[in-house]
């Protein structure tokens, strides 16, 4: 543990960003799960990656000037813009046509994955950056990222607290929201941008695997454990935070990649109830026989 | 329960919605020259074949679609939507998270309801649909009939003056359909709520409708239920053959 505390002084920015995102991402994930769009999170993340790759291709992102704060800012802005555009378009499509977006999400995911590599394939640093984003790493955050993540968390919590019933009704039933006098377009825009900014920032700071995993898995786990929607709203970010905190310690002590440990831990936790139930049923059957 | 109470703040007996010479549609008029006046304590059945324009007409009457012609006048509580309750078709709800019945009903509450009164509004809505015993159950795990009642309770939590129901009895057995119709009739008779059903349920219309609007052939014929349902033309236009 002493070693971990010593490492804290070296990696505290990256770890703080991961912990803050572990609270932010499940809150976005709740909306996506309520709209039956689990995979959309991966599509938005891949679109954000494409935004960064586009920046590299255009010569304004880190590959052309590694370590430059301007380049980092452009990279972040492009990731958030691409993520927001994808999320807003998806939210509008869901509200207007009620269509399931599974096929389109897969298309965006695959288009983003292939194009981001193709755009940067002639630039060694660019390709390396795209691989880093895809494979996930929690080691590259700055103090600006910490403040940005903290501000994002505060804004999302305040919005969620003040508008929770309107947001939940919009997520479950946009037509009734409109009948009640709510502006579905405004909800689509504001919440789409919120989801896009959070995902784009998460991609920039932690990579695709952590961003997708922490958006979806804590919500699915909370769904199994929580007896009500209110419980899920609290449980999901708490589970994300707790798992990430444990994962950071384990990953550091065992010298493992922290993003993968966090996501792997959540995947295991999600599988445990199913395995326990299966074993229990098997034993009951054998006992009965 | 004062279901048609505070939210609407309409003059007693004044029309909730009055449409004159209305043309409705998304780009091209689907229905023309629609004249319809919804008064408190009326029970309207909007009858018509699939694709005849019932949903488009409702969307226009609720202000969700702009009219392509004519004029709609709404009481203040309807115009600002605080006095409108809406019951969508139940099939669209496949809940992906465990939402309790109380939580679901509370989503219907108007933002104007004080925090201290929310629980009472939700409880009264559950009581009026006789589902108070389901308050803590997960709404997605209920039977079809129970889920339908939960949807109606969510609309009633707003204490609406006008309750719009889209196929409320679809896929219910005759007993469940009859019971739901009777409970809605109590709301109309006791609380003075105006009900607007979009429905294919002619039996229910015969029992509870005070007025019928027949949507067919690009226009809407309206009148008292007894006259409309006795008219052979109505049956023909609904595709039920001559009487």
């Amino acid at each position: 543990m002493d070693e971990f505390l010593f490492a804290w002084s070296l990696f505290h920015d990256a770890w703080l960003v991961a912990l803050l995102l572990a609270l932010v991402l499940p809150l976005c994930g709740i909306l996506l799960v309520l709209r039956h769009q689990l995979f959309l999170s991966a599509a938005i993340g891949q679109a954000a990656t494409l935004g960064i790759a586009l920046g590299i291709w255009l010569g304004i992102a880190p590959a052309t000037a590694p370590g430059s704060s301007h380049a980092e800012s452009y990279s972040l802005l492009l990731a958030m813009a691409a993520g927001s555009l994808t999320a807003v378009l998806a939210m509008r499509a869901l509200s207007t046509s009620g269509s399931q977006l599974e096929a389109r999400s897969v298309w965006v995911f695959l288009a983003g994955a292939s194009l981001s590599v193709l755009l940067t394939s002639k630039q060694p640093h660019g390709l390396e950056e795209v691989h880093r984003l895809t494979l996930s790493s929690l080691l590259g955050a700055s103090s600006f990222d910490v403040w940005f993540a903290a501000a994002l968390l505060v804004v999302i919590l305040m919005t969620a607290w003040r508008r929770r019933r309107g947001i939940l009704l919009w997520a479950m039933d946009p037509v009734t929201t409109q009948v009640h006098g709510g502006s579905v377009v405004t909800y689509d825009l504001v919440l789409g941008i919120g989801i896009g900014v959070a995902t784009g920032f998460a991609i920039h700071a932690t990579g695709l695997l952590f961003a997708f995993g922490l958006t979806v898995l804590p919500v699915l786990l909370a769904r199994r454990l929580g007896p009500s929607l209110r419980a899920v709203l609290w449980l999901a970010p708490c589970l994300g935070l707790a798992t990430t905190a444990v994962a950071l310690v384990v990953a550091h002590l065992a010298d493992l990649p922290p993003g993968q440990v966090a996501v792997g831990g959540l995947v295991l936790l999600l599988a445990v109830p199913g395995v326990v139930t299966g074993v229990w049923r098997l034993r009951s059957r054998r006992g009965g026989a | 329960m004062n279901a048609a109470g505070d939210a609407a703040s309409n003059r007693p007996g004044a029309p909730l919605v009055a449409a004159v010479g209305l043309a409705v549609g998304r780009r091209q008029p689907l229905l023309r020259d629609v004249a319809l006046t919804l008064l408190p304590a009326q029970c309207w059945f909007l009858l018509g074949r699939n694709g005849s324009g019932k949903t488009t007409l409702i969307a226009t009457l609720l202000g969700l679609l702009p009219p392509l012609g004519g004029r709609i006048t709404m009481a203040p509580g309807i115009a600002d939507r605080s006095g409108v309750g809406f019951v969508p078709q139940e099939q669209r709800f496949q809940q992906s998270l465990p939402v309790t019945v109380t939580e679901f009903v509370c989503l219907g509450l108007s933002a104007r309801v004080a925090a201290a009164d929310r629980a009472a509004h939700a409880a009264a809505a559950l009581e009026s649909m006789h589902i108070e015993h389901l308050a803590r159950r997960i709404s997605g795990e209920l039977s079809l009939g129970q889920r339908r009642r939960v949807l109606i309770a969510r609309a009633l939590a707003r204490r609406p003056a006008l309750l719009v129901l889209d196929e409320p009895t679809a896929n219910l057995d005759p007993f469940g359909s009859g019971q739901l119709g009777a409970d809605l009739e109590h709301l109309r008779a006791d609380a003075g709520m105006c009900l607007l059903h979009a429905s294919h349920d002619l039996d229910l219309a015969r029992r509870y409708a005070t007025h019928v609007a027949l949507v067919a052939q690009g226009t809407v014929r309206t009148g008292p239920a007894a006259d409309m349902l006795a008219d052979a033309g109505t049956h023909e236009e609904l595709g039920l053959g001559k009487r």
Side-chain angles (χ1 to χ4, degrees), chain B:
Chain B
M1 177 180 148
N2 177 20
D6 37 344
S9 63
N10 305 304
R11 280 184 295 114
L16 298 171
V17 177
V20 183
L22 200 63
V24 308
R26 293 189 188 269
R27 291 196 183 94
Q28 298 291 319
L30 186 61
L31 303 172
R32 294 172 193 272
D33 206 21
V34 179
L36 193 67
T37 303
L38 307 179
L39 294 169
Q42 287 183 336
C43 178
W44 279 85
F45 269 71
L46 217 53
L47 300 174
R49 296 186 194 189
N50 287 337
S52 58
K54 298 194 293 290
T55 304
T56 311
L57 176 59
I58 284 180
T60 309
L61 292 174
L62 289 174
L64 304 182
L65 275 179
L68 299 179
R71 192 161 51 91
I72 304 181
T73 315
M74 293 180 188
I78 306 301
D80 69 9
R81 315 280 175 80
S82 61
V84 179
F86 178 61
V87 183
Q89 289 193 30
E90 191 271 340
Q91 295 93 302
R92 296 194 298 108
F93 289 94
Q94 297 291 326
Q95 284 172 6
S96 49
L97 291 179
V99 185
T100 66
V101 167
T102 301
E103 286 174 333
F104 189 79
V105 169
C106 283
L107 292 179
L109 289 169
S110 164
R112 294 177 187 179
V113 178
D117 298 332
R118 282 178 198 153
H121 278 237
L126 291 174
E127 203 179 321
S128 63
M129 280 288 105
H130 309 297
I131 50 170
E132 57 272 34
H133 60 288
L134 301 176
R136 288 168 183 240
R137 295 274 303 275
I138 301 298
S139 50
E141 295 172 358
L142 301 176
S143 70
L144 179 69
Q146 288 171 329
R147 287 205 302 272
R148 203 64 60 80
R149 284 174 178 271
V150 171
L151 269 176
I152 297 173
R154 187 184 71 176
L156 293 176
R158 296 175 73 75
R159 305 198 167 179
L162 172 63
L163 182 63
V164 181
L165 305 107
D166 194 356
E167 304 281 3
T169 56
N171 300 323
L172 292 185
D173 61 47
F175 180 72
S177 170
Q179 274 199 324
L180 190 59
D183 288 337
L184 290 169
E185 170 61 14
H186 281 303
L187 289 171
R188 183 194 72 78
D190 298 345
M193 191 184 298
C194 178
L195 306 178
L196 176 61
H197 294 257
S199 180
H200 291 103
D201 195 337
L202 211 54
D203 287 338
L204 206 69
R206 281 200 189 93
R207 270 187 280 174
Y208 300 115
T210 62
H211 293 77
V212 164
L214 180 69
V215 185
Q217 294 172 356
T219 190
V220 180
R221 276 199 304 127
T222 62
D227 299 343
M228 290 291 291
L229 293 172
D231 182 8
T234 301
H235 290 258
E236 224 173 303
E237 284 169 343
L238 288 173
L240 300 173
K242 291 182 180 177
R243 279 191 101 194

Side-chain angles (χ1 to χ4, degrees), chain A:
Chain A
M1 186 51 82
D2 286 345
E3 194 190 338
F4 178 78
L5 292 175
F6 171 72
W8 175 262
S9 61
L10 297 175
F11 300 122
H12 64 277
D13 282 343
W15 289 348
L16 276 174
V17 166
L19 293 170
L20 288 165
L21 282 174
L23 289 166
V24 167
L25 293 173
L27 291 171
C28 299
I30 287 169
L31 295 182
L32 296 176
V33 172
L34 277 171
R35 302 205 95 177
H36 303 272
Q37 300 300 321
L38 285 178
F39 194 68
L40 183 58
S41 168
I44 295 169
Q46 198 57 264
T49 306
L50 179 59
I52 294 173
L54 200 63
I56 294 170
W57 187 63
L58 293 171
I60 51 177
T64 53
S68 150
S69 60
H70 284 298
E72 287 287 340
S73 307
Y74 281 128
S75 169
L76 176 58
L77 280 174
L78 285 166
M80 293 193 301
S84 298
L85 182 66
T86 310
V88 167
L89 289 175
M91 294 303 127
R92 287 303 297 144
L94 283 167
S95 295
T96 49
S97 62
S99 60
Q100 294 298 308
L101 296 179
E102 195 182 12
R104 276 186 265 182
S105 294
V106 169
W107 186 88
V108 170
F109 181 86
L110 293 174
S114 53
L115 285 177
S116 55
V117 171
L118 289 175
L119 284 175
T120 54
S121 59
K122 301 289 181 193
Q123 305 179 34
H125 289 300
L127 197 56
E128 193 181 313
E129 173 71 0
V130 170
H131 284 156
R132 186 186 73 82
L133 295 173
T134 309
L135 291 173
S136 191
S137 163
L138 304 179
L139 301 175
S142 65
S143 58
F144 168 80
D145 290 334
V146 177
W147 284 109
F148 191 88
L152 200 59
L153 178 63
V154 170
V155 170
I156 286 178
L157 282 179
M158 280 176 64
T159 310
W161 180 252
R162 288 173 64 93
R163 302 274 176 187
R164 62 189 179 283
R165 268 188 296 119
I167 292 171
L168 292 170
L169 183 63
W170 161 83
M172 283 191 246
D173 185 1
V175 175
T176 301
T177 294
Q178 209 178 352
V179 173
H180 288 184
S183 168
V184 173
V185 176
T186 306
Y187 278 112
D188 288 341
L189 277 175
V190 172
L191 296 171
I193 289 172
I195 291 168
V197 165
T199 309
F201 174 72
I203 291 293
H204 159 84
T206 66
L208 183 62
L209 182 77
F210 186 84
F212 181 38
L214 265 289
T215 302
V216 170
L217 294 173
V219 185
L220 297 181
L221 192 54
R223 178 169 76 174
R224 287 204 167 178
L225 302 173
S228 64
L229 183 59
R230 175 193 282 256
V232 172
L233 294 178
W234 286 105
L235 260 176
C238 290
L239 287 166
L241 181 66
T243 316
T244 304
V246 172
L248 288 174
V249 176
V250 171
H252 179 73
L253 296 178
D255 195 19
L256 292 168
Q260 279 76 356
V261 173
V263 173
L266 280 164
V267 167
L268 273 179
L269 284 173
L270 201 56
V272 165
V275 172
V276 169
T277 312
V279 170
W280 182 261
R281 279 187 190 153
L282 200 66
R283 287 187 60 179
S284 305
R285 268 187 218 159
R286 283 185 181 167

